[in-house]
Amino acid sequence: MAFKEFVFFLVLLRVASSRNGGMVKGNDLNNLISEKQIEPRIKSIETKHGDIYDCVNINEQPSLKHPSLKDHTIEMRPSNKVRDILAKIHSKKLPPSFRYAKIELDEECPQGTIPILRVTHNDIPGNVSNLNKPQFSSLQSNGGLEFAGLLTKTTPDKRYHSTIAGIDVYNHKVGPHQYSSASVAVEAGDGPNFNQIQVGWIVNQDLYGDTRTHWFMQWTSDVRNITGCFNLNCGGFVQTNTQVPVGGAIDKVSVYSTDEQVVMRFGLIQDTGNVREKWWVVYNDNIDPIGYWPPTEFKQLAEGADTLKWGGYVFTQPGDNTNPPMGSGHFDDGSYVRSCFMNQLQYTDSNFDLKSPTDVQIIMSKPYLVGDNSYKNDTQGYSFCFGGPF
């Protein structure tokens, strides 16, 4: 799995080429998502942090400017098959003391529009949580990437068509050129044919220019030979939700060693049949997905995933002797208020039956540990703890 974990590092850091903000190949949408080119703005929404989101006609979203999606017809909702899966997922409620993280804007964009973060070429890191301007970190091929979590054991001819989990959300003090994240992922293929989609939360000052926790998504595609797609940094993802901005900040997070636990439930669900093999991003108990990747984006994932992965990542540059925190920054096996956790792990198999994991592999390395992985009860479902200290 070393190659796949390295690719995740590339994805998060390839969006930057130098500390002077030089762009790298693949970030073509940096030139499309600009204050000048997003128009007409039907409505603008400003957050308390000063981020401005423009409500843009859904058919004018930047992703559709890519040649691969030139003639794409937007699907506004998944098939009934996917909606039936969502209904089953939503029947699993959170424990009484837990609550979902809020990633929606306070206002909704008008019907037929989606929120896009406004970008100006004069933006500098730290003044807005801007995902699409040039980033400011260096790319290291031998960086210190660590993963702690679970993955399914790859079996020939076994395919998965969704992955869902609730992820405990934290905010850490992460140093320069470091990050800490937790995500769910679908993967297929290997080497140059490797495909991956991840969705979860992350703290990374180099990418966002702030110390807040953001939700994120990233993908690696063999169709266009892309290993650096992060949020909206390149074309491919079609946004459909009118209130959830891609990569937005999560303000309220879990409080260590208290009952105030904040969970972000993320899912990746593949649609098949008449609407073909789209991969939808779903969240919390919302019936409306955030958006999808069309089947033209992937070869290996078109038939489903051969590996599912749940867990945390941290990165620090070579020569940095500090350890970024993972999860809650602590590990107390079995304690769901002191260790970061994932709960209600589920997936769909080739028959599109919703199941809990039964055959998983544990990956960890000190000081980042994994424990308590098992089916607990109808509320927690299949759950596990992970993470480690500063």
Side-chain angles (χ1 to χ4, degrees):
M1 301 303 296
F3 173 81
K4 297 181 180 180
E5 292 170 6
F6 172 64
V7 167
F8 178 57
F9 159 62
L10 287 179
V11 168
L12 289 180
L13 294 182
R14 190 169 180 173
V15 294
S17 62
S18 71
R19 294 183 66 87
N20 65 5
M23 296 198 188
V24 297
K25 185 177 180 181
N27 284 353
D28 49 305
L29 287 193
N30 283 305
N31 295 322
L32 298 176
I33 307 175
S34 68
E35 183 178 11
K36 182 177 180 180
Q37 290 174 299
I38 288 188
E39 55 185 6
R41 298 171 194 140
I42 298 172
K43 179 181 179 180
S44 294
I45 301 170
E46 184 172 0
T47 71
K48 65 181 181 181
H49 299 289
D51 298 343
I52 299 176
Y53 292 91
D54 292 314
C55 297
V56 179
N57 187 308
I58 191 171
N59 293 302
E60 298 297 325
Q61 61 182 289
S63 283
L64 298 183
K65 296 181 183 294
H66 195 278
S68 67
L69 296 178
K70 179 180 179 181
D71 299 318
H72 181 72
T73 300
I74 296 176
E75 292 281 346
M76 291 304 299
R77 55 183 288 174
S79 67
N80 289 334
K81 181 188 296 185
V82 170
R83 293 174 74 85
D84 288 343
I85 293 173
L86 284 173
K88 294 177 182 178
I89 294 170
H90 296 343
S91 68
K92 300 289 186 181
K93 302 302 180 183
L94 289 176
S97 60
F98 296 174
R99 61 189 175 90
Y100 284 122
K102 180 179 179 294
I103 61 173
E104 302 93 343
L105 297 174
D106 290 336
E107 301 177 56
E108 186 175 1
C109 282
Q111 186 175 1
T113 69
I114 56 170
I116 298 288
L117 182 65
R118 183 182 299 182
V119 178
T120 71
H121 294 296
N122 294 324
D123 285 333
I124 58 173
N127 65 342
V128 292
S129 58
N130 194 325
L131 310 187
N132 306 297
K133 64 189 174 189
Q135 308 298 340
F136 293 74
S137 62
S138 58
L139 176 64
Q140 298 287 342
S141 61
N142 58 343
L145 183 69
E146 298 283 353
F147 171 78
L150 309 179
L151 66 147
T152 56
K153 296 179 180 179
T154 303
T155 304
D157 301 324
K158 186 172 184 179
R159 288 285 175 165
Y160 305 95
H161 298 279
S162 75
T163 180
I164 303 99
I167 311 175
D168 199 11
V169 183
Y170 279 91
N171 180 264
H172 303 302
K173 183 179 179 181
V174 175
H177 316 308
Q178 298 180 343
Y179 69 74
S180 179
S181 69
S183 65
V184 301
V186 294
E187 301 177 349
D190 212 336
N193 298 318
F194 177 58
N195 285 182
Q196 181 193 66
I197 304 174
Q198 288 201 10
V199 60
W201 62 260
I202 188 169
V203 181
N204 188 325
Q205 296 183 55
D206 287 350
L207 288 172
Y208 294 93
D210 62 46
T211 59
R212 289 178 284 163
T213 302
H214 292 254
W215 82 270
F216 79 97
M217 60 187 191
Q218 68 84 16
W219 66 101
T220 294
S221 168
D222 57 344
V223 172
R224 290 193 276 125
N225 193 28
I226 291 173
T227 58
C229 287
F230 185 85
N231 293 331
L232 297 179
N233 276 318
C234 52
F237 182 78
V238 179
Q239 191 173 343
T240 58
N241 196 288
T242 61
Q243 198 169 1
V244 177
V246 173
I250 303 173
D251 287 327
K252 295 184 179 180
V253 300
S254 296
V255 179
Y256 172 72
S257 195
T258 73
D259 289 334
E260 297 180 40
Q261 298 299 303
V262 178
V263 176
M264 186 79 237
R265 179 193 276 163
F266 280 118
L268 294 164
I269 303 180
Q270 187 180 31
D271 218 336
T272 62
N274 293 333
V275 290
R276 301 180 66 194
E277 294 79 10
K278 294 179 176 65
W279 281 93
W280 291 88
V281 179
V282 299
Y283 74 103
N284 293 350
D285 278 340
N286 200 302
I287 197 68
D288 296 320
I290 296 172
Y292 62 86
W293 287 271
T296 53
E297 285 302 301
F298 306 102
K299 291 180 182 178
Q300 304 303 317
L301 280 171
E303 301 299 324
D306 57 35
T307 303
L308 306 179
K309 187 182 290 184
W310 304 270
Y313 288 89
V314 297
F315 171 77
T316 187
Q317 290 198 26
D320 187 345
N321 295 322
T322 63
N323 291 320
M326 177 190 290
S328 70
H330 306 266
F331 185 78
D332 188 349
D333 194 9
S335 172
Y336 280 43
V337 298
R338 293 192 292 274
S339 292
C340 193
F341 65 84
M342 290 193 184
N343 67 357
Q344 299 178 355
L345 272 66
Q346 294 177 290
Y347 68 89
T348 51
D349 60 14
S350 297
N351 296 320
F352 284 87
D353 293 326
L354 198 60
K355 297 182 176 180
S356 297
T358 56
D359 190 14
V360 297
Q361 180 179 348
I362 298 174
I363 295 181
M364 58 183 176
S365 60
K366 290 185 177 180
Y368 308 114
L369 304 175
V370 177
D372 195 41
N373 60 301
S374 65
Y375 185 89
K376 307 298 187 302
N377 50 52
D378 287 342
T379 301
Q380 291 286 7
Y382 193 99
S383 310
F384 71 99
C385 295
F386 68 97
F390 292 86

